[in-house]
Amino acid sequence: MSTRSAIIPCLRYEDAPRAIDFLCAAFGFERHAVFVDPQNARIIHHAQLVRDGQMIMLTTAQDGGFSRAAPMVSVAAAGGNAQSAYVVVEDVDAHAVRARAAGAVIFMEPSDQDYGGRGYGARDPEGNAWSFGSYDPFAPAG
């Protein structure tokens, strides 16, 4: 049974085109939809990336109605992360090798977790923290 997520992480990047390339190369996402500003190809108004049927969204960090009202900043402007995304992967060690080869900073090496499964932590080029693991909370117990 495939799970369709009703909660989709939304990330902000100073250099969203570079982030899209990195997330696809390092973490195995694929472009689902990318809406580029017609006057400036460096500005991504909205992008949807998918991996194994799950989605993240991202945008270029710029002033706008929602970001102003929330208020939202980039990881660099905040001075650190306030949240991270967890992504279920089948082969944690192979995924970490791929991510490192593409330039991800591995801040927690792959290891077995107390709650089950195996996992590791990585940062993308703009400092967003990502957690990857084999623990699947939707998998049947047993």
Side-chain angles (χ1 to χ4, degrees):
M1 177 181 158
S2 175
T3 302
R4 183 175 152 249
S5 180
I7 299 173
I8 302 169
C10 300
L11 304 167
R12 296 167 52 83
Y13 287 92
E14 298 294 332
D15 188 345
R18 178 177 177 232
I20 291 169
D21 290 343
F22 174 83
L23 294 170
C24 291
F27 298 157
F29 284 96
E30 296 177 1
R31 290 163 179 81
H32 180 74
V34 179
F35 300 94
V36 179
D37 187 285
Q39 276 74 47
N40 184 347
R42 303 303 307 160
I43 296 176
I44 305 296
H45 290 294
H46 176 80
Q48 301 165 0
L49 305 182
V50 294
R51 186 182 184 291
D52 293 335
Q54 302 301 306
M55 180 179 288
I56 62 168
M57 295 180 186
L58 64 94
T59 185
T60 298
Q62 59 183 351
D63 191 37
F66 184 81
S67 65
R68 193 171 31 254
M72 296 180 69
V73 297
S74 66
V75 170
N81 286 277
Q83 62 89 39
S84 68
Y86 175 74
V87 181
V88 177
V89 298
E90 231 174 87
D91 186 336
V92 171
D93 295 279
H95 193 272
V97 168
R98 173 186 179 160
R100 189 186 318 271
V105 174
I106 308 299
F107 63 85
M108 290 183 67
E109 292 294 332
S111 62
D112 295 331
Q113 303 300 309
D114 294 341
Y115 51 84
R118 190 164 173 77
Y120 80 96
R123 282 190 189 83
D124 65 31
E126 292 198 18
N128 289 289
W130 292 80
S131 178
F132 298 92
S134 60
Y135 173 74
D136 182 349
F138 292 107

